[in-house]
Amino acid sequence: TSSLTIDSNKAEIYVKVVTLEKTAQDAKNKNSQISKQVMDALKKEGIKDKDIETSQFNIYPRYEYEEIITPDFRKPKQVLIGYEVTNVLKVTTLDLEKVGKLVDIAVDSGANDIESVIFGLTKEREKEVKQQAMVQASNDAREKAVALATNVGVTLLKPITISESSFYYIPYAVRGVFDKAEASTAQTSINPQKLDISAAVQLVYEIK
């Protein structure tokens, strides 16, 4: 097995736009308008169309409860106050130094919240890191095999099989990145995060 700590090279920003209106159509139209404002502002900052996609889209009726009081009983009554539309946009960037700025641009353009920022790896970088981790894991496995063989008094010959046991990493999630109380007083700062990589291989040797 081997473990590496490397720099992330991709960030995914989850931008939430929520609208509440009397009708579902009005809520949807209002949400579309604000979402377009957010996307246009992000595009002006260099984000491409292909790097903005819908992660979640929901329409729900919103209710409040009020009590009907009569001389004989109290009865709660469900009252429809409107329809809520939630649209979550996933914005991907490779410029990790601009993540905080992109968060501010999205919020200033009408987004209600930033669900999270996820730091990870592009497919190309993940492939490179996997190869590096597997080489290191195979070297570690060979060193352990030599030590064990020496300890029991046998000699290693050529490997019979070499197989990958596992490779994984967990993207680093930053939540609560947007504080409404501080939104107008300070620029959002989000630092790129490092990632822990783990890999394992299995070697089977001939011995004599």
Side-chain angles (χ1 to χ4, degrees):
T1 61
S2 67
S3 297
L4 303 173
T5 299
I6 65 168
D7 293 322
S8 53
N9 75 332
K10 179 182 74 171
E12 295 172 348
I13 308 167
Y14 289 81
V15 179
K16 181 186 285 188
V17 177
V18 182
T19 51
L20 176 65
E21 299 293 337
K22 293 294 184 182
T23 69
Q25 187 63 48
D26 286 345
K28 180 176 177 294
N29 291 343
K30 183 68 173 179
N31 197 290
S32 296
Q33 176 189 343
I34 297 173
S35 296
K36 185 177 185 303
Q37 291 174 189
V38 171
M39 290 188 289
D40 288 345
L42 291 170
K43 289 175 188 177
K44 286 182 181 178
E45 192 56 35
I47 300 298
K48 298 177 182 178
D49 281 323
K50 68 181 181 64
D51 293 326
I52 304 176
E53 57 186 291
T54 298
S55 170
Q56 177 185 338
F57 187 87
N58 296 310
I59 301 176
Y60 292 115
R62 278 277 299 274
Y63 296 94
E64 287 185 350
Y65 289 87
E66 61 182 34
E67 279 194 327
I68 301 174
I69 302 176
T70 70
D72 300 319
F73 63 88
R74 292 171 178 259
K75 180 180 180 181
K77 179 182 178 182
Q78 191 180 55
V79 179
L80 177 67
I81 63 170
Y83 291 83
E84 183 176 278
V85 174
T86 299
N87 185 21
V88 178
L89 302 172
K90 184 177 79 170
V91 181
T92 302
T93 180
L94 304 185
D95 190 347
L96 304 192
E97 299 300 326
K98 288 176 64 174
V99 170
K101 184 176 183 180
L102 294 174
V103 165
D104 289 336
I105 288 172
V107 173
D108 291 344
S109 302
N112 305 82
D113 196 9
I114 304 298
E115 279 198 337
S116 62
V117 176
I118 310 295
F119 290 97
L121 300 173
T122 60
K123 290 182 179 179
E124 294 79 9
R125 180 58 176 151
E126 182 177 331
K127 183 178 179 180
E128 293 172 359
V129 170
K130 181 176 181 179
Q131 291 176 344
Q132 180 183 351
M134 287 301 173
V135 168
Q136 182 171 312
S138 63
N139 289 336
D140 291 347
R142 184 179 185 282
E143 290 177 3
K144 291 178 181 177
V146 170
L148 289 171
T150 301
N151 186 57
V152 297
V154 299
T155 301
L156 294 182
L157 300 177
K158 64 180 180 180
I160 301 173
T161 61
I162 304 175
S163 59
E164 173 187 335
S165 297
S166 66
F167 169 81
Y168 69 92
Y169 77 95
I170 300 175
Y172 190 98
V174 181
R175 307 190 188 279
V177 299
F178 171 59
D179 187 339
K180 292 183 180 180
E182 299 179 359
S184 61
T185 62
Q187 181 176 344
T188 302
S189 177
I190 305 173
N191 296 322
Q193 299 295 321
K194 293 185 178 293
L195 304 172
D196 293 326
I197 309 297
S198 177
V201 298
Q202 184 179 51
L203 300 181
V204 179
Y205 283 92
E206 285 185 291
I207 60 173
K208 68 174 184 179

